[in-house]
């Protein structure tokens, strides 16, 4: 079964595509009513280049699905109110320019028109809309596959990092222990150097004392004068 046939046959697949209303204007401009929200049956037929009767038959067959996607059927006071509001927005104004349904009016939103495009078999425009939808789906799937591949690679890298960190733990502990030992040795060396410094200061004082005594001996020898 081709993808297009699957889309025509599966309501679940159509539901997945219902947000892609932007596809409609990529295929052909859809002229809305003055409210900018709705189109009539004849407007839908004009867009898909089929008869109004074809659109009515399709709408009758799939009325529940289309109603869930924005189809409205106006009658009585609701229809009169809609006509009044729409005529007030119509540029030309006047009933002759905007033909009114006698007893009821079906209104379609962009979402409903997209739904029709996924159901209508005898329209080249509808086939183009389906082709755009399926191409966009393939592109989205390809992007998803690329993203999934990149995420998988990142997960593998993180797994390698986790393994490396596990192996690094004991090494870091041993280095920490060696640094602690070195710190203790440096502390002992610092204390030893301090003790040596004190001893050297004492020796310096002793040398000064000896030097002073030698100076005193030399002075006394000079005072005795030359030996005859």
């Amino acid at each position: 079964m081709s993808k297009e046939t699957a889309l025509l046959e599966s309501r679940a697949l159509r539901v997945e595509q219902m947000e892609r209303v932007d596809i409609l204007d990529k295929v052909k401009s859809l002229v809305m009513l003055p409210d900018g929200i709705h189109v009539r049956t004849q407007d839908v037929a004009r867009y898909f280049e089929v008869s109004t009767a074809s659109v009515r038959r399709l709408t009758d067959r799939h009325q529940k699905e289309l109603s869930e996607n924005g189809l409205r059927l106006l009658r009585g006071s609701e229809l009169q109110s809609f006509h009044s509001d729409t005529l007030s927005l119509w540029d030309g104004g006047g009933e002759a320019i905007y033909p009114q349904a006698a007893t009821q009016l079906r209104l379609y939103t962009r979402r409903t028109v997209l739904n029709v495009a996924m159901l209508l078999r005898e329209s080249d425009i509808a086939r183009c809309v389906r082709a755009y939808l399926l191409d966009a789906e393939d592109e989205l799937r390809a992007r998803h596959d690329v993203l999934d591949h990149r995420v998988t690679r990142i997960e593998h890298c993180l797994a390698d990092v986790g393994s490396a960190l596990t192996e690094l733990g004991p090494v870091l502990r041993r280095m920490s222990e060696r640094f602690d030992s070195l710190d203790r040795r440096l502390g002992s060396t610092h204390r030893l150097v301090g003790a040596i410094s004190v001893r050297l200061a004492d020796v310096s004082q002793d040398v000064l004392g000896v030097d002073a005594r030698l100076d005193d001996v030399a002075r006394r020898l000079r005072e005795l004068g030359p030996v005859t």
Side-chain angles (χ1 to χ4, degrees), residues 8-9 11 14 41 48 50-69 71 106 108 112 115-123 126 130:
L8 287 164
E9 299 295 336
R11 183 173 179 179
R14 292 194 292 273
T41 302
F48 289 111
V50 296
S51 66
T52 303
S54 296
V55 177
R56 287 199 183 103
R57 286 194 298 270
L58 183 140
T59 303
D60 290 338
R61 288 197 304 270
H62 301 279
Q63 185 168 354
K64 182 179 179 181
E65 178 179 344
L66 294 172
S67 296
E68 291 176 359
N69 289 303
L71 178 68
R106 279 175 172 160
Y108 305 70
T112 322
N115 201 163
V116 171
M118 291 187 280
L119 292 167
L120 190 61
R121 297 173 182 267
E122 63 268 25
S123 166
R130 292 194 291 272

Side-chain angles (χ1 to χ4, degrees), residues 145-170:
D145 291 341
V146 171
L147 180 60
D148 183 65
H149 178 66
R150 293 179 65 183
V151 170
T152 301
R153 288 180 58 190
I154 291 172
E155 287 175 344
H156 288 322
C157 291
L158 290 176
D160 294 339
V161 169
S163 177
L165 289 175
T166 301
E167 296 174 357
L168 188 59

Side-chain angles (χ1 to χ4, degrees), residues 84 147 171:
S84 176
L147 180 60
V171 176

